[in-house]
Amino acid sequence: MELYQRLRDRQAKLAVIGLGYVGLPLAVAFSRVLDVIGYDVNRHKISQYQNGIDPTGDTGDDAVKHSAITFTDDAAELRAASCFIIGVPTPVQADKVPDLQYVRQASITVGQSLQRGVLVVYESTVYPGVTEEVCLPILEEQSGLKCGTDFTIAYSPERINPGDRVHRLENITKIVSGIDKETLDEVAAIYELIIEAGVYRADSIRVAEAAKVIENAQRDINIAFMNELSMLFNNMGIDTQAVLRAAGTKWNFLNFRPGLVGGHCIGIDPYYLTYKAEGAGYHSKIILAGRHINDGMGQYIAQQIIKHLVRQKEDLSDVRIGCLGLAYKENCSDVRNTKVIDIVSELAEYGVTTFVADYWVNKAQVQEEYGIELVERSDLRDLNVLVVAVPHDEYRKLNVADFDQLYAPNHKKLMFDVTGIYNKTDFENNGYYYWSL
């Protein structure tokens, strides 16, 4: 394992391509034991990192400030690297077809810096076959080198969970795979430098790619089942949360809950799997059905709000709705593919004004990406409806008295607690109409 030893002796450098929620933690962790180059095409982001600022809010300013990473947006500096780890986004297009433009561009950039003896590791979520069938040819074309002879490739799927303070990079088992056994041994040894939980050696790159996409597809399907039950029980006048508490007393009942499914993993990865399935001549049934349900939950919640306002004979043009939370999940600043926006957009179709507050997220980013001007929580006043869309820890601490002051006087208070983080009885005993999935 010549490369591994050169990296350990700091005679070679490791470069992380893409410094977002996946790449930044990797770069910081590796920089404690290796010489690391952190590369991103976003000049503003690089400037923030160089000044010790973590715009993701997940790794932390101190960790960035005290790291020994060489942050750069200059691709020429990558020629000093002997090991590349690529962790760029892999979203889907509007028609739910995988969008590989970022991983392709990263492959071009790395290929142009490739030299003999180099290892390239992909972490971006892809469907089985992308690393060897899409990325490898680009590396060879751009470098003029031959994989297996001049350089080698590997795949180690990311398992980062933004906002999770328990399951971190270091204590989650890392799947590793390589183009051959020698590469597998080398990539395993490199990751073992930072992964305390150890590594799992997959049988092949395609197996590792498949393992990644089914991890999130499995969660997506289970949440979709809970969401379907929620809609069913709502029609039957049964409290879904009460049903789940009762069913949860059985030892083997799976603890999934209904909710909005957004972000860059659970709401995206299943489409990579179904796209590959179509190419293989198989039309997915369960996976796509789950996606259909989960993609429609924001619209469903908005329609429930409208129904209750109509029943109260409210003039929708005068209604004020407050929404707490815009991030795709609790305790993180990530707004990529957030399904809260579907609630806001659907309400706007009815001419209803919604005021959104979320101190976790970046206001400028939200304005640029969604055209929404966030307000402060203190600005939520004279409301008819309050939607607690994201269960940030700070929102969990609020009680009925905290919410009372947000509503307009002499109006029925409608509380839509999307994920059911509050006690229903507390609100109903204080004159609220309370709803949750």
Side-chain angles (χ1 to χ4, degrees):
M1 294 191 292
E2 179 184 349
L3 174 59
Y4 168 80
Q5 197 57 54
R6 288 173 56 222
L7 289 168
R8 289 293 283 139
D9 294 341
R10 297 183 184 270
Q11 295 176 355
K13 296 183 179 182
L14 180 147
V16 178
I17 312 299
L19 298 176
Y21 288 91
V22 173
L24 182 61
L26 275 172
V28 169
F30 274 119
S31 71
R32 299 187 184 110
V33 290
L34 305 175
D35 286 344
V36 174
I37 300 170
Y39 174 82
D40 199 285
V41 296
N42 188 322
R43 176 62 211 167
H44 177 65
K45 184 188 293 186
I46 290 298
S47 179
Q48 288 181 296
Y49 289 146
Q50 290 171 336
N51 288 295
I53 300 172
D54 172 18
T56 73
D58 213 47
T59 300
D61 292 351
D62 285 345
V64 173
K65 186 182 303 181
H66 296 108
S67 72
I69 302 168
T70 300
F71 291 107
T72 183
D73 64 337
D74 183 359
E77 295 192 40
L78 296 177
R79 293 192 64 81
S82 297
C83 179
F84 295 89
I85 297 180
I86 297 175
V88 296
T90 45
V92 292
Q93 301 172 32
D95 56 0
K96 308 305 182 184
V97 171
D99 183 355
L100 297 176
Q101 63 170 313
Y102 301 110
V103 77
R104 288 178 187 272
Q105 186 56 55
S107 298
I108 292 172
T109 300
V110 170
Q112 292 172 347
S113 301
L114 217 57
Q115 301 176 63
R116 285 182 172 79
V118 163
L119 166 64
V120 182
V121 185
Y122 287 86
E123 286 219 3
S124 301
T125 301
V126 293
Y127 56 79
V130 168
T131 302
E132 294 163 285
E133 298 166 11
V134 177
C135 301
L136 191 157
I138 294 175
L139 294 174
E140 291 185 330
E141 178 185 1
Q142 294 296 319
S143 66
L145 302 176
K146 186 70 176 175
C147 182
T149 303
D150 303 315
F151 70 94
T152 189
I153 61 169
Y155 183 76
S156 178
E158 59 90 3
R159 281 176 162 174
I160 296 294
N161 189 24
D164 191 334
R165 302 304 174 192
V166 177
H167 303 99
R168 309 297 292 171
L169 171 67
E170 294 83 0
N171 62 21
I172 301 174
T173 300
K174 198 81 167 73
I175 296 176
V176 295
S177 63
I179 197 75
D180 52 39
K181 185 180 184 305
E182 181 179 350
T183 303
L184 178 60
D185 290 341
E186 192 128 57
V187 74
I190 291 171
Y191 276 106
E192 283 172 339
L193 291 171
I194 63 169
I195 305 298
E196 298 170 5
V199 302
Y200 175 85
R201 301 180 181 218
D203 292 0
S204 67
I205 288 177
R206 288 169 63 88
V207 166
E209 291 169 326
K212 169 58 180 173
V213 288
I214 72 161
E215 289 173 12
N216 286 319
Q218 182 188 65
R219 285 185 53 77
D220 192 45
I221 291 167
N222 278 284
I223 296 171
F225 177 51
M226 294 297 108
N227 279 332
E228 186 169 48
L229 289 179
S230 175
M231 291 186 283
L232 167 63
F233 292 145
N234 180 61
N235 287 344
M236 297 172 67
I238 299 175
D239 184 343
T240 305
Q241 300 296 329
V243 173
L244 295 179
R245 286 194 296 272
T249 59
K250 190 179 181 186
W251 77 92
N252 61 352
F253 185 80
L254 302 180
N255 187 32
F256 287 93
R257 291 290 183 270
L260 298 171
V261 182
H264 190 61
C265 291
I266 300 180
I268 298 294
D269 295 0
Y271 287 121
Y272 274 72
L273 186 56
T274 56
Y275 174 82
K276 185 63 175 179
E278 292 285 351
Y282 181 81
H283 180 70
S284 166
K285 301 177 182 66
I286 294 177
I287 300 172
L288 285 177
R291 281 281 74 236
H292 177 74
I293 291 171
N294 287 342
D295 273 349
M297 291 309 293
Q299 184 180 46
Y300 169 76
I301 293 167
Q303 289 171 353
Q304 295 305 305
I305 294 171
I306 295 299
K307 284 182 180 179
H308 287 289
L309 289 170
V310 170
R311 286 171 187 162
Q312 291 186 189
K313 297 180 170 52
E314 297 283 358
D315 182 350
L316 295 183
S317 64
D318 290 334
V319 164
R320 289 170 57 89
I321 297 180
C323 180
L324 289 178
L326 184 64
Y328 89 88
K329 61 175 288 188
E330 66 271 22
N331 305 326
C332 84
S333 60
D334 196 348
V335 294
R336 292 176 299 173
N337 194 35
T338 174
K339 293 305 176 183
V340 180
I341 199 68
D342 292 352
I343 300 176
V344 176
S345 298
E346 182 69 11
L347 290 172
E349 291 290 319
Y350 290 90
V352 177
T353 302
T354 304
F355 302 90
V356 184
D358 191 330
Y359 71 97
W360 271 92
V361 306
N362 183 281
K363 289 186 177 182
Q365 180 185 359
V366 171
Q367 177 68 52
E368 179 180 352
E369 189 163 346
Y370 296 113
I372 292 179
E373 185 175 347
L374 293 181
V375 302
E376 301 296 326
R377 197 179 88 196
S378 58
D379 295 327
L380 298 179
R381 289 286 184 274
D382 298 322
L383 302 178
N384 302 87
V385 182
L386 181 66
V387 181
V388 181
V390 185
H392 293 315
D393 285 347
E394 289 73 11
Y395 298 160
R396 290 177 179 272
K397 298 173 184 176
L398 301 176
N399 55 39
V400 175
D402 295 315
F403 292 121
D404 281 343
Q405 58 188 320
L406 306 184
Y407 287 87
N410 304 317
H411 271 78
K412 178 78 172 180
K413 301 182 182 73
L414 300 183
M415 161 62 82
F416 279 72
D417 174 16
V418 172
T419 58
I421 61 175
Y422 304 114
N423 187 307
K424 176 181 179 180
T425 303
D426 289 344
F427 284 88
E428 291 183 337
N429 288 345
N430 283 276
Y432 281 72
Y433 171 81
Y434 174 94
W435 185 97
S436 71
L437 285 176

